């Protein structure tokens, strides 16, 4: 018993640990990257192996404009998070909504492309290997963008009714990490589908 | 030094809390998980199960969200005073026998840097290669002969070389033989570096004769499987000589690297670099460690 | 002493109406309760899948036996393998991680308690979904709609053409659901270890258990996700008419193999690394010495984690890869033996010069060391691609992996249960029953799985519901089956011990083993808040420091 | 052996007894004699199987040595460092580690691994990359759910379940090279005494070879799980003398025997669905879903080894294949008793 310290223990002065929200988001991103990697590998593996048409060269058009939309939304979300950290809620809200608009535009682009492929070229997920891999990979990404948009919108709604303040800045940053990830994945998907895959 | 408080001390300490907040129980994660599972289960049963799952999942999400927003829902648990004894019956702690003057926590201070072993190994590699090539030139009439034989360990193409081609230069065989020779030599050198101080009595005898003899015996038994081409062409006298050359050169180079304590009166624990508490009076700044 | 009933099954719970108790357990977000839930649920599945194994063994006792039909046999080994790996192995290890990690790093809870509950329920409901296949559609007759494609579900056997109905879908969906749970838990473990350590608990002071679970969780993120992706593709094939693994439309059967084993191999290390963690905590305590070579142990674990990501195709040595691929996977596979060997040697180094106490947990650890050594060496034989072309797909493989999974994982889990049972329940396990359990299980294990190597060497393929007489397999198979029943008796004893000791066991006190890590510095069972005051540590063995204030470790670190 | 002695001195505990029993038992059984089983991987009869067995013994010895060393260390420390009553109240010396020792037990295994790898890599290369000599026999083996199809493209032969190949004389080698294909799911071709196994995978042609050194029947079976009747997808390889093989080839190249006495049976056969799935050369039966029946009677077993090729079994089979091989993909054809007898008699003329 003599071993017991007899004063209330003092934490080491510089005891700082990473933010758990960010660590968790990093973990999620690692897991998601692994999922995307598998889909990308499958896509690349099957490039040119379809037994029937249509082939990517015949039907794909490069979505430059929508890509720019999505990539620039990374910038706006970053600026928005920064504004919130500096307690400039107005700027935050503006940039945040802009992000959602840019992301929405991207989704519109994807929807349009799918519509064109399905109704003009008759390419569906069961047409051939290209259809299967294309819709899966792009669809998986689109799913992530949609999920991101839902979360962004929720924050936007809370912000609109004035319930978001500087104290939420950490959570908003975690969300923006996710959005950056979705953008980064698009760079890969874009390269694979529209550059390498053709 | 670790510190833990008994409950009474906690109670007495003015800054210590009397009660602690822990996350409150909630059913929503369960509801969400259940809904999520039903969503999928619908695929193997009927769609209405999926529909129910979707409803539950949405409810779960909302419930969960309200659990953490605007602030996390916690409940208060009072601290139950308790007497935690952290003590042991085993009061005596034995010590490793160490040399009287070595009053250190880390034993010993002098060991070879890892690089010493590698250097020795590489030096030995050169010595060995020189001898092997000498053998090639003197006995077989071609410096490429031993190199092609060595490469056959990995490279099945070399196995197909006819007797005549064994004497000529093959770039691929040469590269493979070189890489193999360097890697194995560096590893063996590292091993010498680690072991010599443990068996300090006669490093050169150990490294130069005993180890090569063991090694040659080992090679003798397994060569037929590992490198049948070499096995059928080998000249064991020269082979052992080159092993010994390796060992001696490596041993000398390692032993030269740093003047280490080779007194044989040191106990094995010290020669092996065992890390253990020393016999010292406490250091002044022992409290903060590191 | 500890008279605490706020947490974990305690005397006072009995006084509440059972609905309240149930409600408490379903809504709990306490890491200790979730840990216990994980463990109990996994033990339930151990018995279920064990009974499946027993039926398999009855069927294989004699050549041309007719105990079950081929269809049922195929369902049984699929369910047995899937359950043991996903609903026994992973959950029980997650359970211990949940229970122990926060206690050992001096935290009050996991980083995300609600996510923790969510993940647990996903894993659990995934298991129930799998077993619902038995009663789904065709009802109980002939094992209903249970999956019958083996636990790797190789394409194209899983394609609609060869597997009509929903049996394969049950398999896919159950793993998908529990896979999300695993990923959630892994994220939680990582966040807990990185962000919730008590003051002074630097990374290089964490108990090895925390370190190894960190590595395990990292591997779950990288390995389980590919499985999830592959399952999603299979679903796309089966429900949306995709062609990923449809060999009729140019899809590739080999691609599935790669995807599955990119998950499957790391998975086996996900199962064994937490067991290494148990060894690294229990062996030192019963040898009365600190772990030998702590930094090397950490490095070796990381190394195993890394290398094991690049060995997956050693499960595919008969698939017809070219000789370079086969050689590559041979060297990487064997390379894993090096860091694993380092771990074994370090445990031996820990025991060397100690005072070994042969308590039940230690007995299981010793058996683990012995058996894992053999298991690893048969692994190395399987890793030699040429040798493997004879061994693969035979009972030799089955023997190898039961040696790792039963001789390794199950023995380690028993060690862990016996070691931490006093902490979890506040009662000691009965030592006599424990020893009996140990020896019976050891004998049953060796009778079953030692002998199982030989039919493999004599040409017996795995996954066959019956076999021809006259191939030298008969006696061996009979003995193997008997061994299985001895194991069953041992496990019955164990379950009995768990129950009896819970009510009748001696009070444990907070520190029955005279151990050195933080979980022993709070009462047994620990209160909801774990520690009345958050501990501060200055070395790897905080309790050693307290017990030997004149000679603390902190002085040497 | 060292391990044995140390276990004997540890004979106090049941552990020791158990361990030495296991050790001795495995030594006995490990010395597997060829008589033990017709599918023993340590009784190789062809070059690939021999080089594998050779390598296997080498790997077994190395791993055996590792086992003995580590096991001895384990038992030694258990005995030497077991806790004693006199030590109560004392802790042993606290040792944290040693870099040098760690280095030693890292490098030695690395060297062992290098050796094992080198030995393996060469055997892989020698087996997998062996060139095909012009004298080789070519066979295409096609895996079907629960039966094997063998085609000899150069010889114009199609047969099922029982493969005939010539013995290969080292002076004048006539190895057999197999192309492995699958018609449905994965299978694996395994004759343990002739070669390691190789899978048959749809869309993924594989290759393997064997050069049997002895005449005889070699057994094996499908090793890759392929569905309900994976267990009864047995393989028989008949290694014939060059003369026998030539005779077999000649007889297989003939069209089906036309025997007037079984005309009714033939008519029943040709007018039922049999011909959708089975081929009989020289008739209108040319299905490929089931085994070629042209020379059915030249085979010793039916349904890939599920039953001996006797009239009773054949009758039972055609009446209800599920009685012999539940889950087989041949349907019960519901023939009337007389038709059944007629068809069976017809089958019996297909030599
Ligand atoms: C806990 C689970 C676990 C663990 C830890 C391991 C560990 C290892 N496994 Fe095993 N394995 C499985 C579970 C496991 N395995 C399962 C479930 C399957 C089959 C799945 C299925 O088909 O259904 C399988 C299948 C499997 C195969 C494929 C067989 C086949 O189907 O053809 C191979 C092939 O290489 C293999 C190899 C290894 C190796 C080399 C190790 C190594 O990690 C072992 C390392 C340990 C040692 C080597 C011993 C200690 C080391 C020393 C004492 C140092 C000195 C040693 C040397 C220098 C060699 N395993
Ligand atoms: C952690 C994983 C794990 C564990 C613990 C086990 C444990 C056991 N396994 Fe299993 N096994 C696998 C993982 C595991 N297995 C995997 C992955 C496969 C491959 C599947 C595939 O090919 O797809 C496999 C396949 C497999 C096969 C091969 C099937 C085949 O290829 O045809 C066999 C055959 O003997 C077998 C047997 C056993 C036995 C006898 C046990 C015993 O150790 C079980 C002991 C437990 C009990 C016996 C339960 C205790 C019961 C009670 C307390 C109740 C008492 C009740 C009665 C007596 C009725 N297993
Ligand atoms: Cu064909 Cu198994
Ligand atoms: Cu593996």
């Amino acid at each position: 018993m003599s071993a017991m310290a007899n004063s209330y223990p003092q934490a080491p002065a510089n005891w700082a640990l990473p933010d758990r929200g960010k660590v968790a988001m990093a973990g999620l991103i690692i897991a998601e990257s692994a999922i995307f990697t598998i889909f990308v590998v499958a896509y690349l593996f099957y490039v040119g192996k379809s037994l029937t048409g249509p082939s990517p060269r015949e039907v794909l058009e490069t979505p430059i404009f929508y890509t720019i939309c999505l990539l620039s939304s990374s910038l706006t979300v970053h600026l928005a998070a920064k504004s919130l950290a500096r307690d400039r809620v107005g700027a935050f809200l503006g940039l945040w909504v802009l992000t959602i608009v840019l992301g929405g535009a991207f989704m519109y682009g994807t929807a349009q492309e799918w519509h064109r492929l399905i109704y003009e070229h008759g390419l569906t997920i069961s047409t051939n290997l290209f259809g299967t891999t294309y819709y899966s990979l792009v669809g998986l990404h689109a799913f992530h963008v949609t999920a991101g948009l839902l979360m962004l919108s929720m924050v936007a709604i809370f912000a609109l009714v004035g319930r978001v303040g500087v104290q939420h800045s950490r959570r908003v940053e975690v969300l923006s990490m996710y959005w950056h990830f979705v953008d980064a994945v698009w760079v890969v998907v874009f390269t694979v589908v529209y550059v390498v895959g053709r | 030094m670790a510190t833990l408080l008994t409950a009474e001390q906690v109670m007495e300490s003015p800054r210590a809390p009397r009660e602690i907040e822990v996350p409150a129980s909630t059913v929503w994660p369960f509801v969400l998980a259940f809904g999520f599972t039903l969503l999928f289960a619908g695929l193997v049963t009927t769609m209405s199960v999926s529909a129910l799952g979707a409803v539950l999942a949405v409810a779960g999400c909302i419930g969960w969200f309200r659990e953490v927003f605007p602030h996390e829902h916690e409940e208060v648990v009072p601290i139950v005073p308790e007497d935690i004894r952290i003590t042991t019956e085993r009061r005596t702690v034995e010590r490793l026998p160490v040399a009287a003057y070595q009053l250190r926590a880390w034993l010993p201070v002098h060991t070879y840097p890892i690089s010493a072993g590698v250097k020795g190994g590489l030096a030995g590699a050169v010595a060995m290669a020189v001898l092997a090539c000498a053998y090639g030139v003197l006995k077989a009439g071609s410096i490429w002969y031993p190199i092609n034989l060595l490469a056959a360990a990995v490279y099945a193409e070399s196995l197909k070389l006819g007797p005549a081609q064994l004497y000529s230069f093959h770039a691929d065989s040469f590269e493979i033989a070189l890489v193999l020779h360097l890697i194995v030599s560096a590893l063996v050198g590292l091993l010498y570096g680690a072991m010599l101080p443990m068996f300090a009595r006669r490093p050169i005898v150990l490294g130069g004769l005993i180890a090569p003899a063991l090694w040659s015996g080992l090679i003798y038994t397994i060569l037929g499987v590992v490198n049948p081409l070499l096995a059928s062409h080998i000249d064991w006298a020269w082979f052992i000589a080159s092993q010994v050359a390796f060992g001696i050169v490596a041993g000398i180079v390692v032993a030269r690297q740093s003047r280490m304590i080779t007194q044989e009166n040191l106990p094995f624990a010290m020669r092996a670099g065992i890390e253990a508490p020393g016999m010292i009076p406490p250091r002044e700044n022992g409290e903060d460690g590191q | 002493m500890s008279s605490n009933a706020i947490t974990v099954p305690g005397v006072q719970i009995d006084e509440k109406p059972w609905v309240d108790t149930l409600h408490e357990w379903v809504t709990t977000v306490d890491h200790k309760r979730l840990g216990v839930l994980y463990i109990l649920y996994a033990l339930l599945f151990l018995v279920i899948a064990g009974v499946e194994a027993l039926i398999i063994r009855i069927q294989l006792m004699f050549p041309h036996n007719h105990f079950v039909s081929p269809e049922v046999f195929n369902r049984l080994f699929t369910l047995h393998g899937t359950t043991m790996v996903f609903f026994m192995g992973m959950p029980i290890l997650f359970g211990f991680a949940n229970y122990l990690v926060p206690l050992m790093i001096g935290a009050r809870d996991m980083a995300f308690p609600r996510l923790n509950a969510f993940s647990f329920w996903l894993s659990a409901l995934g298991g129930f979904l799998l077993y619902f296949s038995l009663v789904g559609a065709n009802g109980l007759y002939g094992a209903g709609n249970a999956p019958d494609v083996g636990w790797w579900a190789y394409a194209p056997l899983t394609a609609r053409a060869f597997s009509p109905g929903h049996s394969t879908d049950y398999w896919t969906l159950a793993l998908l659901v529990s896979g999300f749970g695993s990923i959630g838990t892994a994220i939680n473990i990582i966040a807990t270890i990185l962000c919730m350590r008590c003051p002074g608990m630097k990374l290089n002071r964490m108990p090895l258990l925390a370190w190894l679970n960190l590595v395990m969780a990292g591997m779950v993120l990288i390995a389980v996700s590919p499985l999830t992706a592959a399952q999603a593709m299979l679903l796309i094939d089966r429900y949306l008419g995709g062609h990923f693994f449809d060999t009729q439309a140019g899809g590739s059967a080999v691609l599935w193999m790669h995807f599955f084993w990119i998950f499957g191999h790391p998975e086996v290390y996900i199962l064994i690394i937490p067991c290494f963690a148990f060894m690294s905590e229990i062996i030192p305590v019963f040898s009365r010495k600190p772990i030998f070579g702590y930094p090397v142990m950490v490095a070796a674990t990381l190394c195993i984690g890394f290398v094991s990501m690049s060995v997956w195709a050693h499960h595919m040595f008969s698939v017809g890869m070219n000789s370079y691929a086969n050689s590559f996977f041979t060297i990487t596979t064997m390379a894993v033996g090096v860091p694993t060997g380092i771990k074994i040697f370090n445990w031996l180094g820990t025991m060397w010069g100690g005072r070994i106490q042969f308590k039940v947990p230690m007995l299981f650890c010793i058996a683990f060391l012995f058996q894992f050594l053999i298991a690893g060496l048969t692994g190395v034989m399987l890793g030699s691609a040429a040798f493997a072309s004879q061994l693969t797909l035979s009972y030799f493989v089955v023997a190898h992996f039961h040696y790792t999974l039963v001789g390794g994982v199950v023995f380690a889990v028993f060690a862990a249960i016996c070691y931490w049972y006093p902490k979890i329940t506040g009662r000691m396990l009965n030592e006599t029953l424990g020893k009996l359990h140990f020896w019976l299980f050891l004998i049953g294990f060796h009778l079953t799985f030692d002998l199982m190597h030989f039919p493999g060497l004599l040409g017996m393929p795995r996954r066959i519901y019956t076999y021809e007489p006259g191939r030298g397999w008969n006696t061996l198979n009979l003995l193997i089956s008997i061994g299985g029943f001895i194991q069953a008796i041992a496990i019955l004893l164990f379950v009995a011990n768990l129950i009896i000791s819970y009510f009748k066991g001696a009070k444990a006190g907070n520190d029955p083993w005279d151990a050195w890590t933080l979980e022993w510095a709070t009462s047994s069972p620990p209160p909801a808040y774990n520690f009345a005051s958050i501990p501060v540590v200055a070395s790897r063995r905080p309790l050693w420091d307290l017990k030997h204030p004149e000679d603390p470790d902190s002085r040497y670190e | 052996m060292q391990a044995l002695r140390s276990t004997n001195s540890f004979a106090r505990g049941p552990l020791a007894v158990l361990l030495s029993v296991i050790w001795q038992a495995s030594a006995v059984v490990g010395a597997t004699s060829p008589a033990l089983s017709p599918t023993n991987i340590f009784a190789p009869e062809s070059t690939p199987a021999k080089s594998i067995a050779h390598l296997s013994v080498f790997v077994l010895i190395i791993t055996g040595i590792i086992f003995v060393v580590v096991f001895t260390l384990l038992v030694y420390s258990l005995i030497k460092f077991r806790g004693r009553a006199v030590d109560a109240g004392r802790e042993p010396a606290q040792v944290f580690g040693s870099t040098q020792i760690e280095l030693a037990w890292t490098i030695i295994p690395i060297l062992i691994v290098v050796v094992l790898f080198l030995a393996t890599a060469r055997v892989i290369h020698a087996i997998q990359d062996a060139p095909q000599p012009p004298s080789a026999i070519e066979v295409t083996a096609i895996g079907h759910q629960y039966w094997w199809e063998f085609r000899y493209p150069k010889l114009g032969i199609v047969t099922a379940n029982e493969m005939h190949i010539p013995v290969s004389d080292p002076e004048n080698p006539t190895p057999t090279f197999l192309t492995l294909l699958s018609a449905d799911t994965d299978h694996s071709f395994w004759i343990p005494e002739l070669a390691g196994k190789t899978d048959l995978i749809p869309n993924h042609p594989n290759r393997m070879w064997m050069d049997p050194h002895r005449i005889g029947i070699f057994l094996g079976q499908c090793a890759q799980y392929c569905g309900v009747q994976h267990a009864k997808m047995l393989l028989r390889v008949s290694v014939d003398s060059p003369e026998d093989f030539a005779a077999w080839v000649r007889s297989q190249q003939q069209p089906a025997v036309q025997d007037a006495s079984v005309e009714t049976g033939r008519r029943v056969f040709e007018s039922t669905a049999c011909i959708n799935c089975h081929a009989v050369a020289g008739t209108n039966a040319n299905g490929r879903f089931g085994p070629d029946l042209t020379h059915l009677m030249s085979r010793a077993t039916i349904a890939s080894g599920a039953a001996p090729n006797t009239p009773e079994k054949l009758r039972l089979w055609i009446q209800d294949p599920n009685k012999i091989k539940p889950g087989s993909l041949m349907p019960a054809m519901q023939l009337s008793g007389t038709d059944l007898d007629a068809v069976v008699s017809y089958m019996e003329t297909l030599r």
Side-chain angles (χ1 to χ4, degrees), chain C residues 46-47 50-51 53-54 56-57 73 77 80-81 84-85 88 150-151 395 398 401-402 405-406 410 449 452 462-464 484 487-488 491-492:
Chain C
L46 172 67
V47 170
V51 169
L54 291 181
I56 292 179
R57 283 321 317 171
F73 184 90
F77 73 69
H80 167 73
M84 283 292 194
V85 171
M88 192 289 283
W151 86 280
Y395 260 78
V398 182
F401 70 71
H402 283 92
L405 289 169
V406 183
V410 173
F449 298 115
M452 211 182 251
R462 58 194 287 200
R463 295 175 166 180
I464 52 175
Q487 289 180 62
I491 293 184
L492 274 181

Side-chain angles (χ1 to χ4, degrees), chain D residues 26 28 45 57 136 235 267 269 284 294 297 331 340:
Chain D
S26 39
V28 172
E45 292 290 351
V57 171
L235 259 171
R267 240 177 297 116
F269 181 78
N284 64 349
T294 314
M297 283 305 125
L340 188 59

Side-chain angles (χ1 to χ4, degrees), chain B residues 118 120-133 146-147 150-151 153-154 173-189 215 239 242-243 245-246, chain D residues 111 114 118:
Chain B
V118 181
L122 294 179
V126 174
M128 190 171 168
V130 167
L131 262 185
C133 292
I147 293 173
L150 176 59
V154 212
S173 293
F174 180 71
E175 279 165 27
I176 288 173
L178 190 68
V179 170
L180 194 64
H181 185 59
L182 287 181
I183 290 179
V184 174
S185 302
L187 282 176
V188 174
W215 181 251
F239 181 80
S242 61
Q243 301 295 326
F246 176 95
Chain D
L111 290 171
V114 169
L118 294 182

Side-chain angles (χ1 to χ4, degrees), chain C residues 74-411:
Chain C
N74 295 344
R75 290 183 172 139
L76 283 175
F77 73 69
T78 305
L79 282 181
H80 167 73
T82 309
T83 310
M84 283 292 194
V85 171
F86 295 98
F87 302 113
M88 192 289 283
M90 301 251 280
I92 209 160
L93 299 169
F94 282 161
F96 275 105
N98 250 305
Y99 197 98
L100 294 174
V101 165
L103 282 170
M104 285 182 129
I105 60 172
R108 290 242 153 92
D109 206 322
M110 296 286 277
F112 303 99
R114 294 168 200 85
L115 173 63
N116 203 9
F118 175 64
S119 307
F120 165 74
W121 288 110
L122 274 185
S123 305
L125 294 169
F128 294 137
L129 182 58
L130 181 67
Y131 274 84
F132 185 68
S133 68
L134 283 174
V135 286
N138 307 348
L140 269 174
Y141 172 71
N145 221 349
D148 58 359
V149 286
W151 86 280
W152 341 306
Y154 270 6
L157 207 53
T158 50
R160 276 247 176 253
F162 301 106
S163 169
H166 282 308
S167 59
T168 301
D169 300 322
Y170 274 107
W171 181 83
T172 307
L173 295 171
L175 294 200
L176 206 57
V177 169
S178 74
F180 289 125
S182 305
I183 293 174
T185 307
I187 291 177
N188 213 339
I189 293 177
I190 292 177
T192 306
I193 294 177
L194 293 183
C195 314
M196 311 288 283
R197 280 165 287 138
C198 69
M201 178 78 73
K202 303 176 184 169
L203 282 179
N204 64 0
R205 281 186 195 147
M206 286 198 309
L208 275 178
L209 186 130
W211 255 114
L212 269 63
N213 274 298
L214 182 64
V215 175
M216 179 273 270
M219 291 179 68
V220 168
L221 291 188
I222 302 176
V224 174
S225 312
L227 178 70
T228 306
Q231 303 280 19
M233 291 178 187
L234 185 58
L235 276 185
I236 291 175
D237 274 12
R238 288 185 60 91
Y239 279 97
L240 303 177
H243 305 296
F244 280 110
F245 310 116
D246 174 5
T247 47
Q248 311 292 319
S252 167
V254 179
L255 191 67
W256 170 270
M257 300 181 190
H258 281 292
F259 287 170
F260 186 84
W261 290 118
I262 283 174
F263 149 78
H265 184 82
E267 167 69 15
V268 305
Y269 289 95
I270 290 171
L271 293 176
I272 204 71
I273 285 181
C275 299
F276 290 170
F278 301 151
M279 293 303 118
S280 308
E281 296 302 332
I282 300 174
I283 291 179
V285 169
F286 292 106
S287 305
R288 311 303 311 157
K289 279 176 67 211
I291 189 82
F292 194 86
Y294 174 99
V296 185
M297 287 298 250
V298 173
T301 312
L302 289 169
C303 183
I304 291 177
F306 261 115
V307 180
S308 73
M309 297 284 170
S310 61
V311 306
W312 74 87
H314 69 207
H315 295 269
M316 297 165 59
F317 281 147
S318 66
V319 163
M321 296 181 294
N322 64 33
S323 55
Y324 293 96
N326 281 337
S327 307
F328 173 79
F329 287 107
T330 295
I331 183 79
T332 51
T333 299
M334 290 184 175
V336 182
V338 176
T340 316
I342 294 176
K343 296 186 86 80
I344 295 206
F345 294 131
N346 275 307
W347 291 318
L348 286 178
T350 307
M351 284 160 47
W352 195 276
R355 299 233 197 295
I356 301 170
Q357 302 173 306
F358 295 96
K359 296 273 174 55
V360 176
M362 187 62 178
L363 289 180
F364 278 106
C365 291
I366 295 167
F368 174 96
L369 286 185
F370 170 67
Q371 283 146 197
F372 191 72
L373 171 66
I374 296 178
L377 294 175
T378 56
V380 169
M381 298 174 202
L382 289 164
S384 161
F387 197 177
S389 73
Q390 287 283 20
L391 299 178
T392 180
L393 301 174
S394 79
Y395 260 78
F396 191 89
V397 179
V398 182
H400 157 72
F401 70 71
H402 283 92
Y403 240 93
T404 58
L405 289 169
V406 183
V409 176
V410 173
F411 270 77

Side-chain angles (χ1 to χ4, degrees), chain D residues 144-146 148 185-188 222-227 230-231 233:
Chain D
H144 292 261
Q145 271 184 322
Y146 331 131
W148 304 91
T185 60
D186 302 348
H187 307 272
S188 193
C222 175
Q224 180 70 278
Y225 178 61
C226 50
H230 159 63
M233 188 165 163

Side-chain angles (χ1 to χ4, degrees), chain B:
Chain B
M1 182 75 175
T3 37
L4 288 160
L5 298 184
T6 56
E8 296 118 61
Q9 286 166 316
V10 172
M11 289 310 186
E12 284 154 17
S13 168
R15 271 176 301 154
R18 295 285 128 85
E19 45 190 30
I20 291 174
E21 290 187 338
V22 298
S25 294
T26 162
V27 78
W28 296 117
F30 171 75
V31 172
L32 180 56
F34 194 55
F36 196 76
T37 311
L38 286 188
L39 201 61
F40 281 106
L43 289 175
V44 278
T45 49
T46 62
M47 271 308 159
S48 47
V49 173
S50 289
L52 176 63
V55 173
L56 285 181
V58 171
C61 279
I62 295 174
W64 187 341
F65 186 76
R66 298 189 38 169
E67 200 61 33
V68 292
F69 197 84
H71 19 247
E72 302 198 5
H73 190 181
E74 300 197 309
E75 62 196 11
V76 171
V77 180
I79 289 186
V80 186
E82 263 174 299
D83 179 19
I84 308 268
R85 283 166 204 281
I86 297 172
T87 169
T88 181
E89 307 281 277
R90 301 177 173 88
R91 300 296 328 149
T92 326
V93 182
E94 289 164 14
R95 290 297 157 105
L96 286 179
V98 284
Y101 59 91
Q102 276 278 318
L103 299 177
R104 306 281 305 217
W106 285 59
L107 318 174
V109 230
H110 298 300
T111 100
Y112 292 110
I114 293 179
S115 59
V118 181
K119 281 183 205 154
L122 294 179
V126 174
M128 190 171 168
V130 167
L131 262 185
C133 292
Y135 164 73
V137 174
L138 296 178
K139 287 274 182 151
S142 161
I143 194 167
W144 307 117
Y145 180 73
I147 293 173
N148 286 327
L149 287 181
L150 176 59
V154 212
Y155 196 47
E157 287 302 310
S158 314
L159 274 182
K160 298 198 195 106
L161 296 179
Q165 289 148 305
L166 272 181
Y167 298 90
S168 54
F169 173 75
H170 299 276
D172 41 5
S173 293
F174 180 71
E175 279 165 27
I176 288 173
L178 190 68
V179 170
L180 194 64
H181 185 59
L182 287 181
I183 290 179
V184 174
S185 302
L187 282 176
V188 174
L190 198 57
L191 191 61
Y192 278 12
M195 308 251 295
L196 283 182
M198 287 194 252
F199 304 98
R201 207 179 275 245
R202 289 186 183 82
I204 308 293
V205 173
L206 177 76
L209 292 176
I210 299 178
L214 284 175
W215 181 251
S216 302
L218 189 68
I219 302 271
Y220 183 77
T221 52
I222 64 175
L223 198 62
V225 181
V226 175
N227 192 339
L229 187 66
L230 182 53
S232 60
H233 287 78
I234 199 163
D235 181 332
W236 284 103
W238 277 86
F239 181 80
I240 294 173
S242 61
Q243 301 295 326
V244 171
F246 176 95
I248 293 181
V249 172
I252 292 174
V253 172
V254 171
R256 287 273 160 109
Q257 284 295 314
S258 54
R259 252 169 277 111
M260 84 288 195
I261 310 165
T262 53
Q263 289 105 320
E264 56 211 53
N265 56 345
L266 282 190
F268 179 82
M270 290 189 64
R271 283 182 267 134
I274 298 274
E275 211 180 292
M279 309 280 284
I280 25 155
R283 251 189 275 148
E284 284 318 308
N285 58 349
E287 283 302 303
D288 23 318
Q290 288 282 319

